[in-house]
PDB file of all heavy atoms in Angstrom:
ATOM      1  N   THR A 163     -24.592  -8.749  17.650  1.00  0.00           N
ATOM      2  CA  THR A 163     -23.605  -7.692  17.518  1.00  0.00           C
ATOM      3  C   THR A 163     -22.386  -8.234  16.794  1.00  0.00           C
ATOM      4  O   THR A 163     -21.857  -9.268  17.180  1.00  0.00           O
ATOM      5  CB  THR A 163     -23.176  -7.142  18.900  1.00  0.00           C
ATOM      6  OG1 THR A 163     -22.721  -8.231  19.686  1.00  0.00           O
ATOM      7  CG2 THR A 163     -24.317  -6.437  19.587  1.00  0.00           C
ATOM      8  N   PRO A 164     -21.950  -7.564  15.764  1.00  0.00           N
ATOM      9  CA  PRO A 164     -20.766  -8.019  15.053  1.00  0.00           C
ATOM     10  C   PRO A 164     -19.525  -7.798  15.909  1.00  0.00           C
ATOM     11  O   PRO A 164     -19.530  -7.013  16.845  1.00  0.00           O
ATOM     12  CB  PRO A 164     -20.733  -7.126  13.810  1.00  0.00           C
ATOM     13  CG  PRO A 164     -21.493  -5.914  14.196  1.00  0.00           C
ATOM     14  CD  PRO A 164     -22.518  -6.361  15.202  1.00  0.00           C
ATOM     15  N   ALA A 165     -18.439  -8.522  15.582  1.00  0.00           N
ATOM     16  CA  ALA A 165     -17.185  -8.344  16.312  1.00  0.00           C
ATOM     17  C   ALA A 165     -16.731  -6.901  16.160  1.00  0.00           C
ATOM     18  O   ALA A 165     -16.766  -6.332  15.078  1.00  0.00           O
ATOM     19  CB  ALA A 165     -16.126  -9.290  15.758  1.00  0.00           C
ATOM     20  N   ARG A 166     -16.328  -6.301  17.255  1.00  0.00           N
ATOM     21  CA  ARG A 166     -15.918  -4.908  17.217  1.00  0.00           C
ATOM     22  C   ARG A 166     -14.429  -4.820  16.927  1.00  0.00           C
ATOM     23  O   ARG A 166     -13.641  -5.609  17.437  1.00  0.00           O
ATOM     24  CB  ARG A 166     -16.229  -4.239  18.559  1.00  0.00           C
ATOM     25  CG  ARG A 166     -17.700  -4.220  18.861  1.00  0.00           C
ATOM     26  CD  ARG A 166     -17.953  -3.589  20.190  1.00  0.00           C
ATOM     27  NE  ARG A 166     -17.070  -4.179  21.188  1.00  0.00           N
ATOM     28  CZ  ARG A 166     -17.324  -4.198  22.470  1.00  0.00           C
ATOM     29  NH1 ARG A 166     -18.435  -3.690  22.924  1.00  0.00           N
ATOM     30  NH2 ARG A 166     -16.468  -4.732  23.328  1.00  0.00           N
ATOM     31  N   ALA A 167     -14.069  -3.831  16.138  1.00  0.00           N
ATOM     32  CA  ALA A 167     -12.666  -3.650  15.780  1.00  0.00           C
ATOM     33  C   ALA A 167     -11.824  -3.362  17.018  1.00  0.00           C
ATOM     34  O   ALA A 167     -10.670  -3.748  17.097  1.00  0.00           O
ATOM     35  CB  ALA A 167     -12.529  -2.526  14.767  1.00  0.00           C
ATOM     36  N   GLN A 168     -12.402  -2.668  18.029  1.00  0.00           N
ATOM     37  CA  GLN A 168     -11.613  -2.334  19.212  1.00  0.00           C
ATOM     38  C   GLN A 168     -11.297  -3.566  20.061  1.00  0.00           C
ATOM     39  O   GLN A 168     -10.473  -3.501  20.957  1.00  0.00           O
ATOM     40  CB  GLN A 168     -12.281  -1.251  20.056  1.00  0.00           C
ATOM     41  CG  GLN A 168     -13.625  -1.626  20.622  1.00  0.00           C
ATOM     42  CD  GLN A 168     -14.778  -1.147  19.755  1.00  0.00           C
ATOM     43  OE1 GLN A 168     -14.652  -1.094  18.544  1.00  0.00           O
ATOM     44  NE2 GLN A 168     -15.892  -0.807  20.363  1.00  0.00           N
ATOM     45  N   ASP A 169     -11.924  -4.703  19.791  1.00  0.00           N
ATOM     46  CA  ASP A 169     -11.590  -5.933  20.502  1.00  0.00           C
ATOM     47  C   ASP A 169     -10.260  -6.495  20.030  1.00  0.00           C
ATOM     48  O   ASP A 169      -9.654  -7.301  20.722  1.00  0.00           O
ATOM     49  CB  ASP A 169     -12.680  -6.985  20.307  1.00  0.00           C
ATOM     50  CG  ASP A 169     -13.963  -6.621  21.032  1.00  0.00           C
ATOM     51  OD1 ASP A 169     -13.936  -5.756  21.922  1.00  0.00           O
ATOM     52  OD2 ASP A 169     -14.992  -7.216  20.699  1.00  0.00           O
ATOM     53  N   ALA A 170      -9.815  -6.083  18.862  1.00  0.00           N
ATOM     54  CA  ALA A 170      -8.533  -6.547  18.342  1.00  0.00           C
ATOM     55  C   ALA A 170      -7.401  -5.807  19.052  1.00  0.00           C
ATOM     56  O   ALA A 170      -7.551  -4.660  19.477  1.00  0.00           O
ATOM     57  CB  ALA A 170      -8.456  -6.313  16.841  1.00  0.00           C
ATOM     58  N   TYR A 171      -6.295  -6.487  19.203  1.00  0.00           N
ATOM     59  CA  TYR A 171      -5.104  -5.922  19.841  1.00  0.00           C
ATOM     60  C   TYR A 171      -3.986  -6.039  18.822  1.00  0.00           C
ATOM     61  O   TYR A 171      -3.510  -7.141  18.545  1.00  0.00           O
ATOM     62  CB  TYR A 171      -4.811  -6.717  21.115  1.00  0.00           C
ATOM     63  CG  TYR A 171      -3.620  -6.278  21.915  1.00  0.00           C
ATOM     64  CD1 TYR A 171      -3.591  -5.035  22.534  1.00  0.00           C
ATOM     65  CD2 TYR A 171      -2.533  -7.128  22.082  1.00  0.00           C
ATOM     66  CE1 TYR A 171      -2.511  -4.648  23.296  1.00  0.00           C
ATOM     67  CE2 TYR A 171      -1.447  -6.751  22.846  1.00  0.00           C
ATOM     68  CZ  TYR A 171      -1.431  -5.507  23.454  1.00  0.00           C
ATOM     69  OH  TYR A 171      -0.355  -5.132  24.206  1.00  0.00           O
ATOM     70  N   TYR A 172      -3.638  -4.925  18.212  1.00  0.00           N
ATOM     71  CA  TYR A 172      -2.682  -4.909  17.110  1.00  0.00           C
ATOM     72  C   TYR A 172      -3.079  -5.894  16.014  1.00  0.00           C
ATOM     73  O   TYR A 172      -2.244  -6.600  15.462  1.00  0.00           O
ATOM     74  CB  TYR A 172      -1.259  -5.181  17.598  1.00  0.00           C
ATOM     75  CG  TYR A 172      -0.722  -4.035  18.431  1.00  0.00           C
ATOM     76  CD1 TYR A 172      -0.703  -4.122  19.818  1.00  0.00           C
ATOM     77  CD2 TYR A 172      -0.284  -2.876  17.825  1.00  0.00           C
ATOM     78  CE1 TYR A 172      -0.241  -3.061  20.583  1.00  0.00           C
ATOM     79  CE2 TYR A 172       0.177  -1.814  18.583  1.00  0.00           C
ATOM     80  CZ  TYR A 172       0.198  -1.916  19.961  1.00  0.00           C
ATOM     81  OH  TYR A 172       0.650  -0.873  20.714  1.00  0.00           O
ATOM     82  N   GLY A 173      -4.366  -5.971  15.758  1.00  0.00           N
ATOM     83  CA  GLY A 173      -4.890  -6.842  14.704  1.00  0.00           C
ATOM     84  C   GLY A 173      -5.167  -8.256  15.158  1.00  0.00           C
ATOM     85  O   GLY A 173      -5.780  -9.029  14.435  1.00  0.00           O
ATOM     86  N   CYS A 174      -4.736  -8.614  16.347  1.00  0.00           N
ATOM     87  CA  CYS A 174      -4.959  -9.962  16.871  1.00  0.00           C
ATOM     88  C   CYS A 174      -6.386 -10.026  17.439  1.00  0.00           C
ATOM     89  O   CYS A 174      -6.742  -9.232  18.310  1.00  0.00           O
ATOM     90  CB  CYS A 174      -3.931 -10.259  17.965  1.00  0.00           C
ATOM     91  SG  CYS A 174      -3.966 -11.963  18.535  1.00  0.00           S
ATOM     92  N   PRO A 175      -7.220 -10.954  16.956  1.00  0.00           N
ATOM     93  CA  PRO A 175      -8.616 -11.012  17.397  1.00  0.00           C
ATOM     94  C   PRO A 175      -8.747 -11.333  18.887  1.00  0.00           C
ATOM     95  O   PRO A 175      -7.885 -12.001  19.467  1.00  0.00           O
ATOM     96  CB  PRO A 175      -9.219 -12.152  16.569  1.00  0.00           C
ATOM     97  CG  PRO A 175      -8.214 -12.523  15.559  1.00  0.00           C
ATOM     98  CD  PRO A 175      -6.893 -11.987  15.983  1.00  0.00           C
ATOM     99  N   ALA A 176      -9.831 -10.859  19.491  1.00  0.00           N
ATOM    100  CA  ALA A 176     -10.102 -11.137  20.902  1.00  0.00           C
ATOM    101  C   ALA A 176     -10.163 -12.642  21.127  1.00  0.00           C
ATOM    102  O   ALA A 176     -10.788 -13.367  20.368  1.00  0.00           O
ATOM    103  CB  ALA A 176     -11.404 -10.483  21.336  1.00  0.00           C
ATOM    104  N   GLY A 177      -9.491 -13.116  22.167  1.00  0.00           N
ATOM    105  CA  GLY A 177      -9.490 -14.527  22.503  1.00  0.00           C
ATOM    106  C   GLY A 177      -8.362 -15.314  21.870  1.00  0.00           C
ATOM    107  O   GLY A 177      -8.238 -16.506  22.101  1.00  0.00           O
ATOM    108  N   ALA A 178      -7.512 -14.653  21.085  1.00  0.00           N
ATOM    109  CA  ALA A 178      -6.452 -15.361  20.356  1.00  0.00           C
ATOM    110  C   ALA A 178      -5.066 -14.914  20.808  1.00  0.00           C
ATOM    111  O   ALA A 178      -4.903 -13.890  21.468  1.00  0.00           O
ATOM    112  CB  ALA A 178      -6.596 -15.111  18.856  1.00  0.00           C
ATOM    113  N   VAL A 179      -4.083 -15.698  20.425  1.00  0.00           N
ATOM    114  CA  VAL A 179      -2.667 -15.341  20.556  1.00  0.00           C
ATOM    115  C   VAL A 179      -2.119 -15.319  19.139  1.00  0.00           C
ATOM    116  O   VAL A 179      -2.376 -16.238  18.355  1.00  0.00           O
ATOM    117  CB  VAL A 179      -1.912 -16.357  21.438  1.00  0.00           C
ATOM    118  CG1 VAL A 179      -0.412 -16.096  21.403  1.00  0.00           C
ATOM    119  CG2 VAL A 179      -2.435 -16.321  22.867  1.00  0.00           C
ATOM    120  N   CYS A 180      -1.387 -14.259  18.790  1.00  0.00           N
ATOM    121  CA  CYS A 180      -0.925 -14.086  17.413  1.00  0.00           C
ATOM    122  C   CYS A 180       0.593 -13.986  17.338  1.00  0.00           C
ATOM    123  O   CYS A 180       1.222 -13.310  18.155  1.00  0.00           O
ATOM    124  CB  CYS A 180      -1.535 -12.823  16.806  1.00  0.00           C
ATOM    125  SG  CYS A 180      -3.330 -12.862  16.713  1.00  0.00           S
ATOM    126  N   LEU A 181       1.137 -14.642  16.334  1.00  0.00           N
ATOM    127  CA  LEU A 181       2.560 -14.569  16.031  1.00  0.00           C
ATOM    128  C   LEU A 181       2.699 -13.741  14.751  1.00  0.00           C
ATOM    129  O   LEU A 181       1.978 -13.962  13.777  1.00  0.00           O
ATOM    130  CB  LEU A 181       3.128 -15.978  15.819  1.00  0.00           C
ATOM    131  CG  LEU A 181       4.609 -16.079  15.484  1.00  0.00           C
ATOM    132  CD1 LEU A 181       5.468 -15.602  16.655  1.00  0.00           C
ATOM    133  CD2 LEU A 181       4.959 -17.510  15.118  1.00  0.00           C
ATOM    134  N   TYR A 182       3.606 -12.784  14.778  1.00  0.00           N
ATOM    135  CA  TYR A 182       3.811 -11.887  13.639  1.00  0.00           C
ATOM    136  C   TYR A 182       5.038 -12.311  12.848  1.00  0.00           C
ATOM    137  O   TYR A 182       5.939 -12.970  13.375  1.00  0.00           O
ATOM    138  CB  TYR A 182       3.977 -10.445  14.141  1.00  0.00           C
ATOM    139  CG  TYR A 182       2.725  -9.913  14.792  1.00  0.00           C
ATOM    140  CD1 TYR A 182       2.372 -10.296  16.077  1.00  0.00           C
ATOM    141  CD2 TYR A 182       1.873  -9.055  14.115  1.00  0.00           C
ATOM    142  CE1 TYR A 182       1.223  -9.833  16.677  1.00  0.00           C
ATOM    143  CE2 TYR A 182       0.719  -8.581  14.709  1.00  0.00           C
ATOM    144  CZ  TYR A 182       0.399  -8.974  15.989  1.00  0.00           C
ATOM    145  OH  TYR A 182      -0.750  -8.516  16.578  1.00  0.00           O
ATOM    146  N   ALA A 183       5.078 -11.919  11.598  1.00  0.00           N
ATOM    147  CA  ALA A 183       6.193 -12.264  10.712  1.00  0.00           C
ATOM    148  C   ALA A 183       7.514 -11.741  11.262  1.00  0.00           C
ATOM    149  O   ALA A 183       7.546 -10.789  12.044  1.00  0.00           O
ATOM    150  CB  ALA A 183       5.939 -11.696   9.315  1.00  0.00           C
ATOM    151  N   ARG A 184       8.575 -12.346  10.821  1.00  0.00           N
ATOM    152  CA  ARG A 184       9.917 -11.945  11.266  1.00  0.00           C
ATOM    153  C   ARG A 184      10.144 -10.467  11.005  1.00  0.00           C
ATOM    154  O   ARG A 184       9.839  -9.956   9.932  1.00  0.00           O
ATOM    155  CB  ARG A 184      10.953 -12.781  10.531  1.00  0.00           C
ATOM    156  CG  ARG A 184      12.346 -12.508  11.000  1.00  0.00           C
ATOM    157  CD  ARG A 184      13.311 -13.425  10.325  1.00  0.00           C
ATOM    158  NE  ARG A 184      14.657 -13.095  10.770  1.00  0.00           N
ATOM    159  CZ  ARG A 184      15.685 -13.852  10.536  1.00  0.00           C
ATOM    160  NH1 ARG A 184      15.543 -14.960   9.860  1.00  0.00           N
ATOM    161  NH2 ARG A 184      16.869 -13.492  10.967  1.00  0.00           N
ATOM    162  N   ASP A 185      10.682  -9.798  12.009  1.00  0.00           N
ATOM    163  CA  ASP A 185      10.933  -8.367  11.898  1.00  0.00           C
ATOM    164  C   ASP A 185      12.255  -8.077  12.594  1.00  0.00           C
ATOM    165  O   ASP A 185      12.321  -8.054  13.817  1.00  0.00           O
ATOM    166  CB  ASP A 185       9.787  -7.593  12.552  1.00  0.00           C
ATOM    167  CG  ASP A 185       9.927  -6.099  12.378  1.00  0.00           C
ATOM    168  OD1 ASP A 185      10.654  -5.658  11.489  1.00  0.00           O
ATOM    169  OD2 ASP A 185       9.314  -5.376  13.161  1.00  0.00           O
ATOM    170  N   ALA A 186      13.301  -7.878  11.846  1.00  0.00           N
ATOM    171  CA  ALA A 186      14.639  -7.718  12.408  1.00  0.00           C
ATOM    172  C   ALA A 186      14.792  -6.423  13.205  1.00  0.00           C
ATOM    173  O   ALA A 186      15.643  -6.327  14.067  1.00  0.00           O
ATOM    174  CB  ALA A 186      15.668  -7.765  11.296  1.00  0.00           C
ATOM    175  N   GLU A 187      13.960  -5.418  12.923  1.00  0.00           N
ATOM    176  CA  GLU A 187      14.110  -4.159  13.655  1.00  0.00           C
ATOM    177  C   GLU A 187      13.294  -4.201  14.944  1.00  0.00           C
ATOM    178  O   GLU A 187      12.310  -4.918  15.052  1.00  0.00           O
ATOM    179  CB  GLU A 187      13.676  -2.987  12.787  1.00  0.00           C
ATOM    180  CG  GLU A 187      12.204  -3.025  12.420  1.00  0.00           C
ATOM    181  CD  GLU A 187      11.822  -1.919  11.472  1.00  0.00           C
ATOM    182  OE1 GLU A 187      12.126  -2.042  10.289  1.00  0.00           O
ATOM    183  OE2 GLU A 187      11.207  -0.956  11.948  1.00  0.00           O
ATOM    184  N   SER A 188      13.749  -3.451  15.914  1.00  0.00           N
ATOM    185  CA  SER A 188      13.000  -3.397  17.168  1.00  0.00           C
ATOM    186  C   SER A 188      11.960  -2.290  17.075  1.00  0.00           C
ATOM    187  O   SER A 188      11.962  -1.495  16.152  1.00  0.00           O
ATOM    188  CB  SER A 188      13.952  -3.150  18.330  1.00  0.00           C
ATOM    189  OG  SER A 188      14.609  -1.919  18.156  1.00  0.00           O
ATOM    190  N   GLY A 189      11.094  -2.236  18.030  1.00  0.00           N
ATOM    191  CA  GLY A 189      10.031  -1.235  18.030  1.00  0.00           C
ATOM    192  C   GLY A 189       8.703  -1.870  17.673  1.00  0.00           C
ATOM    193  O   GLY A 189       8.612  -3.057  17.384  1.00  0.00           O
ATOM    194  N   TRP A 190       7.644  -1.089  17.713  1.00  0.00           N
ATOM    195  CA  TRP A 190       6.283  -1.581  17.513  1.00  0.00           C
ATOM    196  C   TRP A 190       5.915  -1.784  16.047  1.00  0.00           C
ATOM    197  O   TRP A 190       4.839  -2.247  15.732  1.00  0.00           O
ATOM    198  CB  TRP A 190       5.275  -0.624  18.149  1.00  0.00           C
ATOM    199  CG  TRP A 190       5.360  -0.690  19.634  1.00  0.00           C
ATOM    200  CD1 TRP A 190       6.058   0.155  20.458  1.00  0.00           C
ATOM    201  CD2 TRP A 190       4.773  -1.658  20.485  1.00  0.00           C
ATOM    202  NE1 TRP A 190       5.934  -0.236  21.761  1.00  0.00           N
ATOM    203  CE2 TRP A 190       5.150  -1.345  21.807  1.00  0.00           C
ATOM    204  CE3 TRP A 190       3.981  -2.767  20.265  1.00  0.00           C
ATOM    205  CZ2 TRP A 190       4.746  -2.104  22.891  1.00  0.00           C
ATOM    206  CZ3 TRP A 190       3.574  -3.511  21.365  1.00  0.00           C
ATOM    207  CH2 TRP A 190       3.954  -3.179  22.651  1.00  0.00           C
ATOM    208  N   SER A 191       6.826  -1.464  15.123  1.00  0.00           N
ATOM    209  CA  SER A 191       6.484  -1.596  13.697  1.00  0.00           C
ATOM    210  C   SER A 191       6.175  -3.040  13.322  1.00  0.00           C
ATOM    211  O   SER A 191       5.467  -3.300  12.357  1.00  0.00           O
ATOM    212  CB  SER A 191       7.609  -1.057  12.832  1.00  0.00           C
ATOM    213  OG  SER A 191       8.782  -1.819  13.040  1.00  0.00           O
ATOM    214  N   GLY A 192       6.683  -4.000  14.072  1.00  0.00           N
ATOM    215  CA  GLY A 192       6.429  -5.401  13.773  1.00  0.00           C
ATOM    216  C   GLY A 192       5.014  -5.840  14.076  1.00  0.00           C
ATOM    217  O   GLY A 192       4.601  -6.921  13.677  1.00  0.00           O
ATOM    218  N   LEU A 193       4.239  -5.026  14.785  1.00  0.00           N
ATOM    219  CA  LEU A 193       2.880  -5.402  15.165  1.00  0.00           C
ATOM    220  C   LEU A 193       1.836  -4.924  14.167  1.00  0.00           C
ATOM    221  O   LEU A 193       0.698  -4.664  14.524  1.00  0.00           O
ATOM    222  CB  LEU A 193       2.562  -4.871  16.571  1.00  0.00           C
ATOM    223  CG  LEU A 193       3.275  -5.651  17.677  1.00  0.00           C
ATOM    224  CD1 LEU A 193       3.111  -4.962  19.008  1.00  0.00           C
ATOM    225  CD2 LEU A 193       2.766  -7.059  17.747  1.00  0.00           C
ATOM    226  N   ASP A 194       2.205  -4.828  12.928  1.00  0.00           N
ATOM    227  CA  ASP A 194       1.265  -4.494  11.862  1.00  0.00           C
ATOM    228  C   ASP A 194       0.322  -5.679  11.666  1.00  0.00           C
ATOM    229  O   ASP A 194       0.783  -6.807  11.461  1.00  0.00           O
ATOM    230  CB  ASP A 194       2.054  -4.210  10.581  1.00  0.00           C
ATOM    231  CG  ASP A 194       1.176  -3.866   9.398  1.00  0.00           C
ATOM    232  OD1 ASP A 194      -0.070  -3.946   9.504  1.00  0.00           O
ATOM    233  OD2 ASP A 194       1.739  -3.522   8.353  1.00  0.00           O
ATOM    234  N   PRO A 195      -1.014  -5.479  11.743  1.00  0.00           N
ATOM    235  CA  PRO A 195      -1.962  -6.584  11.581  1.00  0.00           C
ATOM    236  C   PRO A 195      -1.761  -7.383  10.294  1.00  0.00           C
ATOM    237  O   PRO A 195      -2.069  -8.565  10.244  1.00  0.00           O
ATOM    238  CB  PRO A 195      -3.324  -5.900  11.584  1.00  0.00           C
ATOM    239  CG  PRO A 195      -3.111  -4.600  12.248  1.00  0.00           C
ATOM    240  CD  PRO A 195      -1.683  -4.211  11.991  1.00  0.00           C
ATOM    241  N   LYS A 196      -1.232  -6.758   9.256  1.00  0.00           N
ATOM    242  CA  LYS A 196      -1.016  -7.460   7.988  1.00  0.00           C
ATOM    243  C   LYS A 196       0.134  -8.452   8.088  1.00  0.00           C
ATOM    244  O   LYS A 196       0.331  -9.265   7.204  1.00  0.00           O
ATOM    245  CB  LYS A 196      -0.725  -6.453   6.872  1.00  0.00           C
ATOM    246  CG  LYS A 196      -1.882  -5.539   6.573  1.00  0.00           C
ATOM    247  CD  LYS A 196      -1.503  -4.527   5.537  1.00  0.00           C
ATOM    248  CE  LYS A 196      -2.547  -3.437   5.495  1.00  0.00           C
ATOM    249  NZ  LYS A 196      -2.008  -2.143   5.182  1.00  0.00           N
ATOM    250  N   ARG A 197       0.907  -8.371   9.174  1.00  0.00           N
ATOM    251  CA  ARG A 197       2.075  -9.236   9.328  1.00  0.00           C
ATOM    252  C   ARG A 197       1.804 -10.435  10.237  1.00  0.00           C
ATOM    253  O   ARG A 197       2.718 -11.166  10.581  1.00  0.00           O
ATOM    254  CB  ARG A 197       3.258  -8.418   9.838  1.00  0.00           C
ATOM    255  CG  ARG A 197       3.697  -7.357   8.824  1.00  0.00           C
ATOM    256  CD  ARG A 197       4.859  -6.521   9.301  1.00  0.00           C
ATOM    257  NE  ARG A 197       6.010  -7.287   9.729  1.00  0.00           N
ATOM    258  CZ  ARG A 197       6.987  -7.741   8.929  1.00  0.00           C
ATOM    259  NH1 ARG A 197       6.928  -7.499   7.643  1.00  0.00           N
ATOM    260  NH2 ARG A 197       7.999  -8.420   9.412  1.00  0.00           N
ATOM    261  N   ILE A 198       0.560 -10.659  10.635  1.00  0.00           N
ATOM    262  CA  ILE A 198       0.222 -11.826  11.448  1.00  0.00           C
ATOM    263  C   ILE A 198       0.370 -13.076  10.587  1.00  0.00           C
ATOM    264  O   ILE A 198      -0.201 -13.171   9.509  1.00  0.00           O
ATOM    265  CB  ILE A 198      -1.205 -11.727  12.022  1.00  0.00           C
ATOM    266  CG1 ILE A 198      -1.294 -10.566  13.009  1.00  0.00           C
ATOM    267  CG2 ILE A 198      -1.616 -13.034  12.698  1.00  0.00           C
ATOM    268  CD1 ILE A 198      -2.699 -10.276  13.506  1.00  0.00           C
ATOM    269  N   THR A 199       1.149 -14.034  11.075  1.00  0.00           N
ATOM    270  CA  THR A 199       1.355 -15.271  10.323  1.00  0.00           C
ATOM    271  C   THR A 199       0.617 -16.455  10.940  1.00  0.00           C
ATOM    272  O   THR A 199       0.253 -17.377  10.233  1.00  0.00           O
ATOM    273  CB  THR A 199       2.852 -15.623  10.225  1.00  0.00           C
ATOM    274  OG1 THR A 199       3.384 -15.741  11.543  1.00  0.00           O
ATOM    275  CG2 THR A 199       3.615 -14.560   9.456  1.00  0.00           C
ATOM    276  N   ASN A 200       0.451 -16.450  12.256  1.00  0.00           N
ATOM    277  CA  ASN A 200      -0.220 -17.554  12.941  1.00  0.00           C
ATOM    278  C   ASN A 200      -1.171 -16.989  13.981  1.00  0.00           C
ATOM    279  O   ASN A 200      -0.803 -16.076  14.723  1.00  0.00           O
ATOM    280  CB  ASN A 200       0.795 -18.453  13.661  1.00  0.00           C
ATOM    281  CG  ASN A 200       1.800 -19.073  12.740  1.00  0.00           C
ATOM    282  OD1 ASN A 200       2.485 -18.383  11.990  1.00  0.00           O
ATOM    283  ND2 ASN A 200       1.908 -20.374  12.781  1.00  0.00           N
ATOM    284  N   VAL A 201      -2.374 -17.571  14.061  1.00  0.00           N
ATOM    285  CA  VAL A 201      -3.360 -17.204  15.077  1.00  0.00           C
ATOM    286  C   VAL A 201      -3.717 -18.481  15.819  1.00  0.00           C
ATOM    287  O   VAL A 201      -4.140 -19.468  15.208  1.00  0.00           O
ATOM    288  CB  VAL A 201      -4.615 -16.567  14.446  1.00  0.00           C
ATOM    289  CG1 VAL A 201      -5.638 -16.225  15.518  1.00  0.00           C
ATOM    290  CG2 VAL A 201      -4.247 -15.320  13.644  1.00  0.00           C
ATOM    291  N   TYR A 202      -3.535 -18.457  17.133  1.00  0.00           N
ATOM    292  CA  TYR A 202      -3.803 -19.630  17.966  1.00  0.00           C
ATOM    293  C   TYR A 202      -5.035 -19.372  18.821  1.00  0.00           C
ATOM    294  O   TYR A 202      -5.117 -18.358  19.506  1.00  0.00           O
ATOM    295  CB  TYR A 202      -2.596 -19.939  18.871  1.00  0.00           C
ATOM    296  CG  TYR A 202      -1.325 -20.119  18.090  1.00  0.00           C
ATOM    297  CD1 TYR A 202      -0.373 -19.113  18.031  1.00  0.00           C
ATOM    298  CD2 TYR A 202      -1.086 -21.296  17.388  1.00  0.00           C
ATOM    299  CE1 TYR A 202       0.798 -19.283  17.308  1.00  0.00           C
ATOM    300  CE2 TYR A 202       0.079 -21.473  16.659  1.00  0.00           C
ATOM    301  CZ  TYR A 202       1.014 -20.460  16.621  1.00  0.00           C
ATOM    302  OH  TYR A 202       2.161 -20.626  15.903  1.00  0.00           O
ATOM    303  N   TRP A 203      -5.984 -20.302  18.776  1.00  0.00           N
ATOM    304  CA  TRP A 203      -7.237 -20.168  19.511  1.00  0.00           C
ATOM    305  C   TRP A 203      -7.379 -21.198  20.620  1.00  0.00           C
ATOM    306  O   TRP A 203      -8.026 -20.937  21.621  1.00  0.00           O
ATOM    307  CB  TRP A 203      -8.429 -20.342  18.564  1.00  0.00           C
ATOM    308  CG  TRP A 203      -8.547 -19.281  17.535  1.00  0.00           C
ATOM    309  CD1 TRP A 203      -8.088 -19.318  16.248  1.00  0.00           C
ATOM    310  CD2 TRP A 203      -9.165 -18.000  17.684  1.00  0.00           C
ATOM    311  NE1 TRP A 203      -8.387 -18.152  15.598  1.00  0.00           N
ATOM    312  CE2 TRP A 203      -9.053 -17.327  16.454  1.00  0.00           C
ATOM    313  CE3 TRP A 203      -9.806 -17.363  18.744  1.00  0.00           C
ATOM    314  CZ2 TRP A 203      -9.556 -16.050  16.250  1.00  0.00           C
ATOM    315  CZ3 TRP A 203     -10.307 -16.090  18.542  1.00  0.00           C
ATOM    316  CH2 TRP A 203     -10.181 -15.449  17.308  1.00  0.00           C
ATOM    317  N   SER A 204      -6.813 -22.368  20.448  1.00  0.00           N
ATOM    318  CA  SER A 204      -7.079 -23.471  21.374  1.00  0.00           C
ATOM    319  C   SER A 204      -5.999 -23.582  22.444  1.00  0.00           C
ATOM    320  O   SER A 204      -4.825 -23.290  22.203  1.00  0.00           O
ATOM    321  CB  SER A 204      -7.187 -24.786  20.605  1.00  0.00           C
ATOM    322  OG  SER A 204      -5.986 -25.049  19.913  1.00  0.00           O
ATOM    323  N   TYR A 205      -6.419 -24.020  23.622  1.00  0.00           N
ATOM    324  CA  TYR A 205      -5.485 -24.237  24.718  1.00  0.00           C
ATOM    325  C   TYR A 205      -4.607 -25.441  24.413  1.00  0.00           C
ATOM    326  O   TYR A 205      -5.006 -26.352  23.702  1.00  0.00           O
ATOM    327  CB  TYR A 205      -6.239 -24.447  26.035  1.00  0.00           C
ATOM    328  CG  TYR A 205      -6.967 -23.202  26.479  1.00  0.00           C
ATOM    329  CD1 TYR A 205      -8.347 -23.144  26.453  1.00  0.00           C
ATOM    330  CD2 TYR A 205      -6.260 -22.081  26.904  1.00  0.00           C
ATOM    331  CE1 TYR A 205      -9.015 -21.998  26.844  1.00  0.00           C
ATOM    332  CE2 TYR A 205      -6.917 -20.931  27.290  1.00  0.00           C
ATOM    333  CZ  TYR A 205      -8.288 -20.893  27.264  1.00  0.00           C
ATOM    334  OH  TYR A 205      -8.945 -19.758  27.644  1.00  0.00           O
ATOM    335  N   GLY A 206      -3.412 -25.420  24.973  1.00  0.00           N
ATOM    336  CA  GLY A 206      -2.478 -26.514  24.773  1.00  0.00           C
ATOM    337  C   GLY A 206      -1.256 -26.046  24.005  1.00  0.00           C
ATOM    338  O   GLY A 206      -1.066 -24.853  23.755  1.00  0.00           O
TER     339      GLY A 206
END
């Protein structure tokens, strides 16, 4: 089974922690999947 799109959370893949690009405004607009700059998979 291929990875399902619904497993992503605001574009962040299942099992990961994602940091998004700087966004000076408040609100959910900063969680655009195209603005992910770092994806962390490993513990530590």
Side-chain angles (χ1 to χ4, degrees):
T163 55
R166 297 179 311 204
Q168 62 265 33
D169 290 343
Y171 180 65
Y172 291 101
C174 188
V179 172
C180 298
L181 180 66
Y182 295 77
R184 184 176 178 168
D185 185 19
E187 64 185 77
S188 61
W190 290 97
S191 63
L193 287 171
D194 179 354
K196 295 176 193 147
R197 295 180 54 86
I198 294 173
T199 58
N200 300 55
V201 179
Y202 304 102
W203 295 96
S204 60
Y205 293 110

